[in-house]
mmCIF file of all heavy atoms in Angstrom:
data_model
loop_
_atom_site.group_PDB
_atom_site.id
_atom_site.type_symbol
_atom_site.label_atom_id
_atom_site.label_comp_id
_atom_site.label_asym_id
_atom_site.label_seq_id
_atom_site.Cartn_x
_atom_site.Cartn_y
_atom_site.Cartn_z
ATOM 1 N N SER A 27 140.796 94.218 88.629
ATOM 2 C CA SER A 27 141.288 93.782 89.937
ATOM 3 C C SER A 27 142.809 93.654 89.987
ATOM 4 O O SER A 27 143.359 93.412 91.050
ATOM 5 C CB SER A 27 140.664 92.424 90.297
ATOM 6 O OG SER A 27 141.039 91.455 89.347
ATOM 7 N N ASP A 28 143.474 93.833 88.848
ATOM 8 C CA ASP A 28 144.928 93.627 88.803
ATOM 9 C C ASP A 28 145.677 94.949 88.809
ATOM 10 O O ASP A 28 146.301 95.327 87.813
ATOM 11 C CB ASP A 28 145.311 92.792 87.575
ATOM 12 C CG ASP A 28 144.736 91.393 87.641
ATOM 13 O OD1 ASP A 28 144.638 90.853 88.765
ATOM 14 O OD2 ASP A 28 144.386 90.847 86.583
ATOM 15 N N VAL A 29 145.610 95.653 89.929
ATOM 16 C CA VAL A 29 146.366 96.903 90.048
ATOM 17 C C VAL A 29 147.861 96.598 89.937
ATOM 18 O O VAL A 29 148.635 97.361 89.364
ATOM 19 C CB VAL A 29 146.032 97.615 91.374
ATOM 20 C CG1 VAL A 29 146.818 98.904 91.526
ATOM 21 C CG2 VAL A 29 144.534 97.905 91.446
ATOM 22 N N ALA A 30 148.270 95.450 90.494
ATOM 23 C CA ALA A 30 149.604 94.904 90.236
ATOM 24 C C ALA A 30 149.430 93.805 89.186
ATOM 25 O O ALA A 30 148.412 93.112 89.181
ATOM 26 C CB ALA A 30 150.213 94.320 91.497
ATOM 27 N N GLN A 61 144.985 104.271 95.432
ATOM 28 C CA GLN A 61 146.064 104.208 96.415
ATOM 29 C C GLN A 61 147.289 104.960 95.929
ATOM 30 O O GLN A 61 147.460 105.205 94.729
ATOM 31 C CB GLN A 61 146.448 102.752 96.686
ATOM 32 C CG GLN A 61 147.097 102.065 95.479
ATOM 33 C CD GLN A 61 147.580 100.653 95.809
ATOM 34 O OE1 GLN A 61 146.917 99.666 95.497
ATOM 35 N NE2 GLN A 61 148.758 100.571 96.435
ATOM 36 N N ARG A 87 145.022 96.924 81.693
ATOM 37 C CA ARG A 87 146.350 97.536 81.848
ATOM 38 C C ARG A 87 147.412 96.883 80.981
ATOM 39 O O ARG A 87 147.264 95.740 80.563
ATOM 40 C CB ARG A 87 146.785 97.393 83.308
ATOM 41 C CG ARG A 87 145.810 97.950 84.285
ATOM 42 C CD ARG A 87 146.055 97.335 85.661
ATOM 43 N NE ARG A 87 144.794 97.250 86.365
ATOM 44 C CZ ARG A 87 144.245 98.268 87.027
ATOM 45 N NH1 ARG A 87 144.857 99.426 87.071
ATOM 46 N NH2 ARG A 87 143.101 98.130 87.628
ATOM 47 N N PHE A 92 151.870 101.785 86.706
ATOM 48 C CA PHE A 92 151.082 101.620 87.925
ATOM 49 C C PHE A 92 150.050 102.740 87.946
ATOM 50 O O PHE A 92 150.390 103.909 88.099
ATOM 51 C CB PHE A 92 151.984 101.692 89.158
ATOM 52 C CG PHE A 92 151.231 101.564 90.446
ATOM 53 C CD1 PHE A 92 150.903 100.313 90.948
ATOM 54 C CD2 PHE A 92 150.834 102.690 91.150
ATOM 55 C CE1 PHE A 92 150.197 100.192 92.129
ATOM 56 C CE2 PHE A 92 150.124 102.568 92.343
ATOM 57 C CZ PHE A 92 149.807 101.319 92.831
ATOM 58 N N PHE A 95 144.609 102.700 90.383
ATOM 59 C CA PHE A 95 143.151 102.584 90.379
ATOM 60 C C PHE A 95 142.735 101.150 90.093
ATOM 61 O O PHE A 95 143.251 100.518 89.174
ATOM 62 C CB PHE A 95 142.559 103.514 89.312
ATOM 63 C CG PHE A 95 141.063 103.363 89.126
ATOM 64 C CD1 PHE A 95 140.184 103.691 90.143
ATOM 65 C CD2 PHE A 95 140.544 102.876 87.927
ATOM 66 C CE1 PHE A 95 138.808 103.538 89.975
ATOM 67 C CE2 PHE A 95 139.167 102.733 87.749
ATOM 68 C CZ PHE A 95 138.303 103.064 88.775
ATOM 69 N N GLY A 96 141.789 100.650 90.876
ATOM 70 C CA GLY A 96 141.228 99.330 90.632
ATOM 71 C C GLY A 96 139.728 99.348 90.807
ATOM 72 O O GLY A 96 139.171 100.249 91.445
ATOM 73 N N LEU A 108 141.408 91.561 94.991
ATOM 74 C CA LEU A 108 142.233 92.574 94.331
ATOM 75 C C LEU A 108 143.692 92.159 94.474
ATOM 76 O O LEU A 108 144.090 91.675 95.532
ATOM 77 C CB LEU A 108 142.011 93.927 95.034
ATOM 78 C CG LEU A 108 142.754 95.143 94.473
ATOM 79 C CD1 LEU A 108 142.002 95.701 93.273
ATOM 80 C CD2 LEU A 108 142.899 96.225 95.548
ATOM 81 N N ARG A 109 144.475 92.328 93.411
ATOM 82 C CA ARG A 109 145.914 92.143 93.512
ATOM 83 C C ARG A 109 146.571 93.501 93.346
ATOM 84 O O ARG A 109 146.299 94.212 92.367
ATOM 85 C CB ARG A 109 146.430 91.186 92.440
ATOM 86 C CG ARG A 109 146.318 89.730 92.832
ATOM 87 C CD ARG A 109 146.308 88.829 91.627
ATOM 88 N NE ARG A 109 145.101 89.045 90.841
ATOM 89 C CZ ARG A 109 143.915 88.495 91.141
ATOM 90 N NH1 ARG A 109 143.783 87.715 92.193
ATOM 91 N NH2 ARG A 109 142.854 88.747 90.399
ATOM 92 N N THR A 110 147.410 93.860 94.303
ATOM 93 C CA THR A 110 148.041 95.180 94.214
ATOM 94 C C THR A 110 149.388 95.145 94.907
ATOM 95 O O THR A 110 149.815 94.105 95.423
ATOM 96 C CB THR A 110 147.120 96.266 94.821
ATOM 97 O OG1 THR A 110 147.652 97.551 94.511
ATOM 98 C CG2 THR A 110 146.949 96.095 96.323
#
Side-chain angles (χ1 to χ4, degrees):
Chain A
S27 61
D28 296 326
V29 179
Q61 67 175 100
R87 305 160 211 278
F92 179 84
F95 174 65
L108 182 82
R109 275 158 294 279
T110 190

